[in-house]
Coordinates of all heavy atoms in Angstrom, one line a residue:
G1 N 22.4 8.8 -5.9 CA 21.4 8.0 -6.6 C 20.9 6.9 -5.7 O 19.7 6.5 -5.9
S2 N 21.8 6.5 -4.8 CA 21.3 5.6 -3.7 C 20.2 6.1 -2.9 O 19.2 5.4 -2.6 CB 22.5 5.1 -2.8 OG 22.1 4.2 -1.9
V3 N 20.3 7.3 -2.4 CA 19.3 7.9 -1.6 C 18.0 8.2 -2.4 O 16.8 7.8 -2.0 CB 19.7 9.3 -1.1 CG1 18.6 10.0 -0.4 CG2 20.7 9.1 0.1
K4 N 18.1 8.5 -3.6 CA 16.9 8.7 -4.6 C 16.2 7.5 -4.8 O 15.0 7.3 -4.8 CB 17.3 9.3 -5.9 CG 17.9 10.7 -5.7 CD 18.5 11.2 -7.1 CE 19.0 12.6 -6.9 NZ 19.6 13.2 -8.2
L5 N 17.0 6.3 -4.8 CA 16.4 5.1 -5.1 C 15.6 4.6 -3.8 O 14.5 4.1 -4.0 CB 17.5 4.0 -5.3 CG 17.1 2.6 -5.9 CD1 16.7 2.7 -7.4 CD2 18.2 1.5 -5.8
E6 N 16.2 4.8 -2.7 CA 15.5 4.3 -1.5 C 14.2 5.2 -1.3 O 13.2 4.7 -0.8 CB 16.5 4.5 -0.3 CG 17.7 3.7 -0.3 CD 17.3 2.2 -0.4 OE1 16.3 1.8 0.1 OE2 18.1 1.4 -1.0
L7 N 14.4 6.4 -1.5 CA 13.3 7.4 -1.2 C 12.0 7.0 -2.2 O 10.8 7.0 -1.9 CB 13.6 8.8 -1.5 CG 14.5 9.4 -0.4 CD1 14.8 10.9 -0.7 CD2 13.9 9.1 1.0
Q8 N 12.4 6.6 -3.5 CA 11.4 6.3 -4.4 C 10.7 4.9 -4.0 O 9.6 4.8 -4.1 CB 12.0 5.9 -5.8 CG 11.0 5.7 -6.9 CD 11.5 5.5 -8.2 OE1 12.4 4.7 -8.5 NE2 11.2 6.4 -9.1
A9 N 11.5 4.0 -3.4 CA 10.9 2.7 -2.8 C 10.0 3.1 -1.8 O 8.9 2.4 -1.6 CB 12.1 1.7 -2.4
D10 N 10.3 4.1 -0.8 CA 9.3 4.5 0.1 C 8.1 4.9 -0.4 O 7.0 4.6 0.1 CB 10.0 5.5 1.0 CG 10.9 5.1 2.0 OD1 10.9 3.9 2.4 OD2 11.8 5.7 2.4
C11 N 8.2 5.8 -1.5 CA 7.0 6.3 -2.3 C 6.1 5.1 -2.8 O 4.9 5.3 -2.7 CB 7.4 7.3 -3.2 SG 6.2 8.3 -4.0
Y12 N 6.9 4.2 -3.4 CA 6.0 3.1 -4.0 C 5.3 2.3 -2.8 O 4.3 1.9 -3.0 CB 7.1 2.1 -4.6 CG 7.4 2.6 -6.1 CD1 8.6 2.1 -6.8 CD2 6.8 3.7 -6.7 CE1 8.9 2.5 -7.9 CE2 7.2 4.1 -7.9 CZ 8.2 3.6 -8.6 OH 8.6 4.0 -9.8
A13 N 6.0 2.2 -1.7 CA 5.4 1.5 -0.4 C 4.0 2.3 -0.1 O 2.9 1.8 0.1 CB 6.3 1.4 0.7
G14 N 4.1 3.6 -0.2 CA 2.9 4.6 0.1 C 1.8 4.4 -0.9 O 0.7 4.3 -0.8
V15 N 2.2 4.3 -2.3 CA 1.3 3.9 -3.3 C 0.5 2.6 -3.1 O -0.8 2.6 -3.2 CB 2.0 3.8 -4.8 CG1 1.1 3.4 -5.8 CG2 2.5 5.3 -5.1
W16 N 1.2 1.6 -2.8 CA 0.6 0.2 -2.4 C -0.5 0.6 -1.2 O -1.5 0.1 -1.2 CB 1.5 -0.7 -1.9 CG 0.9 -1.8 -1.2 CD1 0.0 -2.9 -1.7 CD2 1.0 -2.0 0.2 NE1 -0.4 -3.6 -0.7 CE2 0.1 -3.1 0.5 CE3 1.6 -1.5 1.2 CZ2 -0.2 -3.6 1.8 CZ3 1.4 -1.8 2.6 CH2 0.7 -2.9 2.9
A17 N -0.1 1.2 -0.1 CA -0.9 1.5 1.1 C -2.2 2.1 0.6 O -3.2 1.8 1.2 CB 0.0 2.3 2.2
Y18 N -2.0 3.2 -0.3 CA -3.2 3.7 -0.7 C -4.2 2.8 -1.3 O -5.5 2.9 -1.2 CB -2.8 4.8 -1.7 CG -3.9 5.4 -2.7 CD1 -4.6 6.7 -2.1 CD2 -4.3 5.0 -3.8 CE1 -5.7 7.2 -2.8 CE2 -5.4 5.5 -4.5 CZ -6.1 6.6 -3.9 OH -7.2 7.2 -4.7
A19 N -3.7 1.8 -2.1 CA -4.6 0.9 -2.8 C -4.8 -0.4 -2.1 O -5.7 -1.2 -2.5 CB -4.0 0.6 -4.1
A20 N -4.3 -0.5 -0.9 CA -4.3 -1.9 -0.2 C -5.8 -2.4 0.1 O -6.1 -3.6 -0.1 CB -3.5 -1.9 0.9
T21 N -6.5 -1.4 0.5 CA -7.9 -1.8 0.9 C -9.0 -1.6 -0.2 O -10.1 -1.7 -0.1 CB -8.5 -0.8 2.0 OG1 -8.4 0.4 1.7 CG2 -7.7 -1.1 3.3
R22 N -8.3 -1.4 -1.5 CA -9.2 -1.0 -2.7 C -9.0 -2.2 -3.6 O -9.7 -2.2 -4.6 CB -8.9 0.2 -3.3 CG -9.2 1.4 -2.4 CD -8.7 2.8 -3.0 NE -9.1 3.9 -2.5 CZ -8.4 4.5 -1.4 NH1 -7.3 4.0 -1.1 NH2 -8.9 5.7 -0.8
T23 N -8.0 -2.9 -3.6 CA -7.6 -3.9 -4.6 C -8.0 -5.3 -4.4 O -7.8 -5.9 -3.3 CB -6.0 -3.9 -4.8 OG1 -5.4 -2.7 -5.0 CG2 -5.6 -4.9 -6.0
P24 N -9.1 -5.8 -5.1 CA -9.6 -7.0 -4.8 C -8.8 -8.3 -5.1 O -8.0 -8.2 -6.1 CB -11.1 -7.1 -5.7 CG -10.6 -6.1 -6.8 CD -9.7 -5.1 -6.3
Q25 N -9.0 -9.4 -4.4 CA -8.5 -10.7 -4.8 C -9.2 -11.2 -5.8 O -10.4 -11.1 -5.9 CB -8.3 -11.5 -3.5 CG -7.1 -11.4 -2.6 CD -7.2 -12.6 -1.8 OE1 -8.1 -12.9 -1.1 NE2 -6.1 -13.3 -1.7
A26 N -8.5 -11.9 -6.7 CA -9.2 -12.5 -7.8 C -10.1 -13.7 -7.3 O -11.1 -14.0 -7.7 CB -8.1 -13.2 -8.8
S27 N -9.6 -14.4 -6.2 CA -10.3 -15.5 -5.6 C -11.6 -15.2 -4.9 O -12.7 -16.0 -4.9 CB -9.4 -16.3 -4.7 OG -9.0 -15.5 -3.7
T28 N -11.6 -14.0 -4.3 CA -12.8 -13.7 -3.5 C -13.5 -12.4 -4.0 O -14.8 -12.2 -3.7 CB -12.4 -13.4 -2.0 OG1 -11.6 -12.2 -2.1 CG2 -11.7 -14.5 -1.5
G29 N -12.9 -11.6 -4.8 CA -13.6 -10.3 -5.4 C -13.4 -9.4 -4.2 O -14.0 -8.2 -4.5
R30 N -12.8 -9.6 -3.2 CA -12.7 -8.5 -2.0 C -11.3 -8.3 -1.8 O -10.3 -9.1 -2.0 CB -13.4 -9.1 -0.8 CG -14.8 -9.5 -0.8 CD -15.3 -10.0 0.5 NE -14.6 -11.0 1.2 CZ -14.9 -12.4 0.9 NH1 -15.8 -12.8 0.1 NH2 -14.2 -13.3 1.5
P31 N -11.0 -7.1 -1.3 CA -9.6 -6.8 -0.9 C -9.1 -7.7 0.2 O -9.8 -8.0 1.2 CB -9.6 -5.3 -0.3 CG -11.0 -4.8 -1.1 CD -11.8 -6.0 -1.0
L32 N -7.9 -8.2 0.1 CA -7.3 -9.1 1.2 C -7.1 -8.2 2.5 O -7.4 -8.7 3.5 CB -5.9 -9.5 0.8 CG -5.0 -10.3 1.7 CD1 -5.8 -11.6 2.2 CD2 -3.8 -10.9 1.0
I33 N -6.7 -7.0 2.5 CA -6.6 -6.1 3.5 C -8.0 -5.2 3.8 O -8.3 -4.6 2.8 CB -5.5 -5.2 3.5 CG1 -4.2 -5.9 3.5 CG2 -5.5 -4.1 4.7 CD1 -2.9 -5.2 3.4
T34 N -8.7 -5.6 4.7 CA -10.0 -5.0 5.0 C -9.9 -3.6 5.7 O -10.9 -2.7 5.5 CB -11.0 -5.9 5.7 OG1 -10.4 -6.1 7.1 CG2 -11.0 -7.1 5.0
S35 N -8.9 -3.3 6.4 CA -8.8 -2.1 7.2 C -7.5 -1.6 7.4 O -6.5 -2.3 7.9 CB -9.5 -2.3 8.6 OG -9.4 -1.2 9.4
L36 N -7.3 -0.4 7.1 CA -6.0 0.4 7.5 C -6.4 1.7 8.3 O -7.1 2.5 7.7 CB -5.1 0.7 6.4 CG -4.3 -0.4 5.7 CD1 -3.4 0.2 4.5 CD2 -3.3 -0.9 6.8
T37 N -6.1 1.7 9.5 CA -6.4 3.0 10.3 C -5.4 4.2 10.2 O -4.2 3.8 9.8 CB -6.7 2.6 11.7 OG1 -5.4 2.2 12.2 CG2 -7.7 1.5 11.8
D38 N -5.8 5.2 10.6 CA -4.8 6.3 10.8 C -3.6 5.9 11.6 O -2.4 6.3 11.5 CB -5.4 7.5 11.4 CG -6.4 8.2 10.4 OD1 -6.3 8.0 9.2 OD2 -7.2 9.1 10.9
A39 N -3.9 5.2 12.8 CA -2.8 4.7 13.6 C -1.9 3.7 12.9 O -0.7 3.7 13.1 CB -3.5 3.9 14.9
D40 N -2.4 3.0 12.0 CA -1.6 2.0 11.2 C -0.6 2.8 10.3 O 0.7 2.5 10.3 CB -2.4 1.2 10.3 CG -3.1 0.1 11.1 OD1 -2.6 -0.5 12.0 OD2 -4.4 -0.2 10.6
I41 N -1.1 3.8 9.7 CA -0.3 4.7 8.8 C 0.7 5.4 9.7 O 1.9 5.6 9.3 CB -1.1 5.7 8.0 CG1 -2.1 4.9 7.1 CG2 -0.3 6.6 7.1 CD1 -1.5 3.9 6.2
A42 N 0.3 5.8 10.8 CA 1.3 6.6 11.8 C 2.5 5.6 12.1 O 3.6 5.9 12.2 CB 0.6 7.1 13.0

């Protein structure tokens, strides 16, 4: 169960990364993170 929990947390980190440049800030209406490159993901 411990391994499954950790792997799921890794997956959730990936879900955030997918949305990071798409989710706008309420204060600006723009994403806080403007760029994630292939090198960043690597």
Side-chain angles (χ1 to χ4, degrees):
S2 176
V3 166
K4 293 174 182 177
L5 193 77
E6 298 300 331
L7 296 179
Q8 186 176 61
D10 282 333
C11 188
Y12 285 164
V15 171
W16 160 76
Y18 170 88
T21 58
R22 298 173 171 89
T23 306
Q25 269 194 312
S27 60
T28 65
R30 303 186 303 270
L32 176 54
I33 297 177
T34 60
S35 173
L36 280 182
T37 67
D38 290 344
D40 289 324
I41 300 303

